[in-house]
Amino acid sequence: MSVATSQSRRVYPGFDQVTLRMLVILGAAAAVVAAQAAGARPESWELGIVFALAALTALRPESVAGVGLLAGAAYVWALAPETLSPLVLVAAAGMILAHVSALVAAQGPARMAVDGAQVRRWAARVLLLWLLAAVVWGLSVAVVDLPQLRLAYALGLTVLTVSALATIRLLSRSDG
Amino acid sequence: MSEWRVTGAWVRATALAALLTLAAVALGRPDLLVLAAPFGLLCALGAAHAPRTAVRARVQLADHWLHEGQSTRLRILPAQGHELEQVTVTLAVPAFVVPQPPTGALAVTPRAGRQAALEFVVSPRRWGVRSTGSAMIGATSNWGGYRWGPQRLPEARVVALPEARAFTSGETPHPVGLIGQNRSRRPGDSSEYFAIRPFQPGDRLRRVNWRTTLRTGEVHAVGTTAQEDSSVLLLLDATSDVGASDGLDGEASSLDVGVRAASALAAHHIQVGDRVALRVLGRTNQALGPGSGVRHQRRLQELLAQVQPGWPDLLGARHLRFQAGAGTVVMVLSPMLTPEVTTVMVTLARRGLTVVVIDTLTPEILPEPARNPRTPARLAWRLRLVERQMQITEVNRRGIPVVPWRGPGTLDEVLRRLARRSRMPRVMSR
């Protein structure tokens, strides 16, 4: 006879979570716009797929759709005729923003309030990652006119790997 | 047992870095290397910070005993912090428990040298033994490379004592003890005025009423009655629970009314120095002998918090033994839907005990089918309510008053009438 009725509580994602998920779409849009500004002319269905993947990643940030989104954004950039346009840094910023926003959003359920300390920490990391992209772009611009381009590639990759290892070492020490 | 697993973000960064680096080399496009570099670094840093130790956490509840509506702190304390970038806890709360924050999810960024703690505030909204909810913990390693969990943590339990609303009532009809606040029939030394009577040996001089003495020419003194405690047995009918219960914030079922009324009655009678006993007729069959004092009141509330509705193993006047001596006032809290409970009341009344029934089934408690004329259950409920009315008539015929629970003052009139009746001579069947 007893009917135990629990309180009906509907909890919706907060403004911070919505903002974070909107940044995923905004990052993808920035990458696509930068590619188009650099001369890329993707088909509309290709753009449709990229934005559909962006929406899916915003809804499910832990899903495999994120790989498709970033690969799609990189493909759209690859359609640009100018290989070393400075706009590649805008595209890189957009892709990093989309990736990191999805990463932070995936750290808990959608209804969870985003931790401010995490946002600040990842904002600094986004800047670091973008600076790395800028360094690589600068090196690329410097070596693109060299006669031995393939040698430059090999050297560049080696330098990048060594730099990455050194950075990891340094950051691991500072964290520990 | 959970373990560390790579995150979707790490897989995404690794796949993209590998894909773009290959494409950059194969197509001779250095711009693709610009796009690949940040993701390559993320992949490498995530892998470099692979954690080695398992995540352990303790659950701490600040208070294990509360009154319904009160709140306490539930703390989740992760054991190790230096390998963790973020710890997330979600709390799936059961019915009648409200968490704060209402999302039931919290995240914290551990800092070096500090104990990370995630703190929820939980509030039970209905009496009873309640779980504070099932907590799941998850953790992310530095640079978001690995994730632990979600892993279930042990549940904490809280005993929500029934709310004891402010309650006052008249004096009980048969004070039989030594000290208390009920007026006795025998004279004694107290402040309760009884009569002005001729002076007797033993009267104190300050009791002399000089005005009457001067008028009559004989020494008169103010006579007072003794004040004694009385014995009260609370009999809670938990064989059925009718109506929906929404906790403190919403509707109350018949058992909610019964338990809260019993708690209020116990608090009142213990406060005035009476001895209170409890007997629950339900699945749990709690019984507590007469006693007084704050500790006894706490024990009564604890037992009331553990009441569960249901049919007891043996329910009948022959099988039940009540710790009710002569002069005990039996207060039955019942929705008057079980004939066996009615038989018990009548048996107690025939033993010469004063029985009062507090009706816990008010019209607003009736469930929706009983009120909606379109449902087939309406007819069943009508029959049930007719049976209930017959039981009420029967107990009234036996001299047992039935009063609905209205909070303070519920029993004033009925106790006054019973006190008056107890002073009259009566014939008892043996």
Side-chain angles (χ1 to χ4, degrees):
Chain A
M1 271 186 288
S2 171
V3 187
T5 57
S6 61
Q7 296 84 358
S8 55
R9 291 184 297 114
R10 284 177 184 275
V11 181
Y12 297 101
F15 178 73
D16 47 358
Q17 278 281 354
V18 173
T19 308
L20 205 57
R21 284 153 201 267
M22 289 301 289
L23 284 177
V24 176
I25 299 172
L26 194 70
V32 168
V33 168
Q36 287 181 325
R41 293 290 173 264
E43 300 289 333
S44 54
W45 62 268
E46 289 171 334
L47 286 178
I49 289 175
V50 170
F51 282 110
L53 287 168
L56 200 60
T57 310
L59 286 173
R60 303 256 175 206
E62 190 73 347
S63 69
V64 76
V67 180
L69 164 67
L70 295 181
Y75 166 76
V76 172
W77 173 261
L79 296 178
E82 195 181 348
T83 56
L84 278 176
S85 163
L87 285 167
V88 72
L89 294 178
V90 179
M95 286 170 70
I96 294 167
L97 183 68
H99 172 76
V100 169
S101 301
L103 186 153
V104 176
Q107 284 182 335
R111 61 179 193 272
M112 187 181 79
V114 179
D115 186 17
Q118 275 293 299
V119 173
R120 284 189 294 276
R121 179 178 282 185
W122 276 104
R125 287 174 181 177
V126 164
L127 194 63
L128 176 78
L129 294 171
W130 184 82
L131 283 175
L132 176 69
V135 168
V136 175
W137 177 78
L139 284 173
S140 303
V141 169
V143 300
V144 76
D145 293 331
L146 288 180
Q148 296 288 335
L149 197 56
R150 292 206 177 273
L151 180 66
Y153 263 118
L155 273 174
L157 281 173
T158 311
V159 168
L160 268 180
T161 311
V162 171
S163 311
L165 286 173
T167 312
I168 291 163
R169 188 92 178 160
L170 281 171
L171 288 172
S172 301
R173 261 189 208 165
S174 63
D175 287 347
Chain B
M1 188 67 187
S2 193
E3 58 185 18
W4 287 102
R5 293 195 184 92
V6 290
T7 59
W10 188 85
V11 172
R12 191 163 62 224
T14 308
L16 198 73
L19 190 74
L20 290 180
T21 308
L22 282 174
V25 174
L27 302 174
R29 298 276 304 245
D31 49 345
L32 295 182
L33 210 57
V34 174
L35 297 179
F39 295 98
L41 184 64
L42 267 179
C43 156
L45 284 166
H49 288 88
R52 291 170 187 86
T53 51
V55 176
R56 298 191 194 288
R58 286 182 293 132
V59 179
Q60 272 186 355
L61 191 64
D63 303 288
H64 291 271
W65 303 85
L66 295 173
H67 281 279
E68 54 182 340
Q70 290 181 328
S71 51
T72 186
R73 291 190 311 277
L74 177 73
R75 300 184 87 202
I76 317 284
L77 304 164
Q80 55 105 319
H82 67 280
E83 286 186 325
L84 307 180
E85 177 158 303
Q86 197 191 32
V87 182
T88 306
V89 173
T90 60
L91 190 66
V93 289
F96 307 120
V97 176
V98 176
Q100 189 64 34
T103 55
L106 273 180
V108 69
T109 305
R111 292 180 183 173
R114 279 195 196 173
Q115 168 71 64
L118 296 108
E119 191 171 287
F120 292 94
V121 175
V122 287
S123 172
R125 310 308 295 174
R126 194 191 183 205
W127 54 271
V129 182
R130 313 228 160 262
S131 159
T132 54
S134 170
M136 304 280 274
I137 187 168
T140 314
S141 68
N142 284 322
W143 289 90
Y146 290 80
R147 175 165 303 150
W148 173 275
Q151 190 182 5
R152 193 179 295 275
L153 293 172
E155 287 183 27
R157 290 195 166 270
V158 64
V159 178
L161 305 175
E163 183 196 42
R165 284 191 180 149
F167 176 78
T168 53
S169 88
E171 296 161 359
T172 51
H174 304 291
V176 287
L178 296 171
I179 50 166
Q181 291 184 24
N182 300 293
R183 263 183 306 181
S184 168
R185 268 182 284 174
R186 66 180 176 81
D189 194 15
S190 77
S191 59
E192 282 295 329
Y193 172 81
F194 173 62
I196 296 176
R197 51 168 177 72
F199 187 83
Q200 294 170 355
D203 279 347
R204 296 185 182 191
L205 203 58
R206 63 186 171 89
R207 295 277 188 194
V208 172
N209 187 295
W210 295 107
R211 188 176 292 177
T212 314
T213 303
L214 287 172
R215 196 174 65 238
T216 58
E218 278 183 48
V219 182
H220 275 71
V222 175
T224 53
T225 54
Q227 283 184 301
E228 297 175 338
D229 61 307
S230 62
S231 188
V232 176
L233 169 64
L234 300 173
L235 188 63
L236 177 65
D237 175 6
T239 53
S240 56
D241 185 11
V242 179
S245 176
D246 286 334
L248 271 182
D249 314 309
E251 294 176 34
S253 71
S254 65
L255 194 58
D256 283 347
V257 173
V259 168
R260 288 173 189 148
S263 177
L265 285 166
H268 165 71
H269 285 288
I270 283 178
Q271 197 179 4
V272 298
D274 292 340
R275 281 162 287 120
V276 182
L278 173 72
R279 183 64 191 263
V280 178
L281 300 176
R283 198 195 310 169
T284 41
N285 267 342
Q286 287 95 335
L288 186 65
S292 57
V294 178
R295 190 175 288 180
H296 188 72
Q297 183 189 348
R298 176 60 182 263
R299 185 80 191 112
L300 280 166
Q301 287 181 328
E302 285 174 19
L303 290 182
L304 285 170
Q306 292 164 29
V307 168
Q308 286 180 12
W311 201 255
D313 293 336
L314 293 168
L315 181 59
R318 286 184 185 178
H319 305 293
L320 295 171
R321 294 277 178 273
F322 296 99
Q323 293 180 319
T328 300
V329 179
V330 183
M331 294 181 181
V332 186
L333 299 119
S334 169
M336 297 294 288
L337 290 169
T338 314
E340 286 82 351
V341 177
T342 309
T343 310
V344 169
M345 291 178 214
V346 172
T347 310
L348 288 169
R350 288 187 66 182
R351 275 177 54 190
L353 299 173
T354 302
V355 180
V356 181
V357 179
I358 296 160
D359 187 4
T360 57
L361 185 63
T362 49
E364 57 270 21
I365 283 179
L366 286 175
E368 182 58 28
R371 283 180 284 187
N372 188 353
R374 290 180 187 171
T375 59
R378 163 86 173 151
L379 183 61
W381 267 105
R382 266 186 76 182
L383 286 171
R384 194 119 204 237
L385 293 175
V386 168
E387 280 179 11
R388 176 180 127 89
Q389 195 53 49
M390 285 165 65
Q391 287 182 56
I392 292 173
T393 310
E394 180 63 21
V395 296
N396 275 331
R397 207 166 60 80
R398 305 272 178 166
I400 301 172
V402 180
V403 287
W405 176 254
R406 294 191 310 266
T410 298
L411 299 175
D412 282 357
E413 181 57 30
V414 73
L415 289 178
R416 202 174 297 126
R417 274 193 282 127
L418 287 170
R420 206 179 303 139
R421 194 171 72 184
S422 70
R423 293 190 184 101
M424 293 184 204
R426 60 176 168 164
V427 178
M428 282 192 60
S429 57
R430 290 186 187 279

